[in-house]
Amino acid sequence: DFTTGAVPTSLPSLTVETPNEELAPRGYLLTSLLTSPLAVVLLDTDGTILWWHFVQSEQTAIGRVRLAAAGDAILYDLFPTYGADPGDPVHEIIRVSLDGETVDAQSTPGAHHDFAQLADGTLAYLAEDRRDVEGEEIIGDRLVELSPDGTQEEIWTTWDDIPYDPAYVPPGPDWTHCGALLHDPVEDVYYLSSHNLDAIWKVDRATGDLLWTFGGPRSDFTAAEPGALPYHQHHLQQKY
């Protein structure tokens, strides 16, 4: 057990508005603050900050924040602004012990937005995949695994299966812009959410094969009614 003491005055005071108390979820929210101060925080349903960790880095963003599978630490990914100089060294997944005494960082080159953790300790993350297309640098996405021993392996890249079509995306280098990653341990597959292509992809972890595309210009599914397919989504969630 440990206590955190008084909440620093540099952290904001929060209020919670609940339209229906009976339907309000109970529990805790693990999230991040993206403005000064850059921090990871744990809130209760009243908006009280119970735990915090200040990020000692500049010009960076925090994507996903997760409780470690063992329940003994907090994990979060740290990266520069999406699309920034690829030489920026700040691409890491940080592990902070609950008592705040231990902070470990693992390098995740090109990482952004989201990561997932597997039962064996493997971490999977989204990373930029920059390619030259007729003299213009275009940013796709890679799915990379980081094993507990530090080995990194590319599982899949959008360039393998998704044809680049400049007519479908906004002008500029930002092509697929994946914003969310989910691992399903039952099927041992990954789901990736592409904001700019309005698509969700299912990828087999063992083979790296693209199993299907849901939404977007190359969807394997049709909608029963208008608006049923994804559109500019930035997250996804699986229900069991």
Side-chain angles (χ1 to χ4, degrees), residues 15-26 45:
T15 58
V16 177
E17 296 183 4
T18 306
N20 189 327
E21 286 288 346
E22 294 182 358
L23 299 179
R26 309 310 299 175
T45 50

Side-chain angles (χ1 to χ4, degrees), residues 149-166:
D149 66 4
T151 303
Q152 303 210 22
E153 178 185 4
E154 180 179 293
I155 303 299
W156 182 70
T157 175
T158 53
W159 293 100
D160 286 345
D161 294 293
I162 313 300
Y164 173 67
D165 182 1

Side-chain angles (χ1 to χ4, degrees), residues 6-7 35 44 59 80 82 125 143 167 169 172 188 194 197 201 218:
V7 178
T35 57
D44 65 15
Q59 298 180 343
Y82 182 75
Y125 63 88
L143 170 59
V169 296
D188 200 21
S194 170
L197 295 189
W201 296 308
R218 300 176 60 85

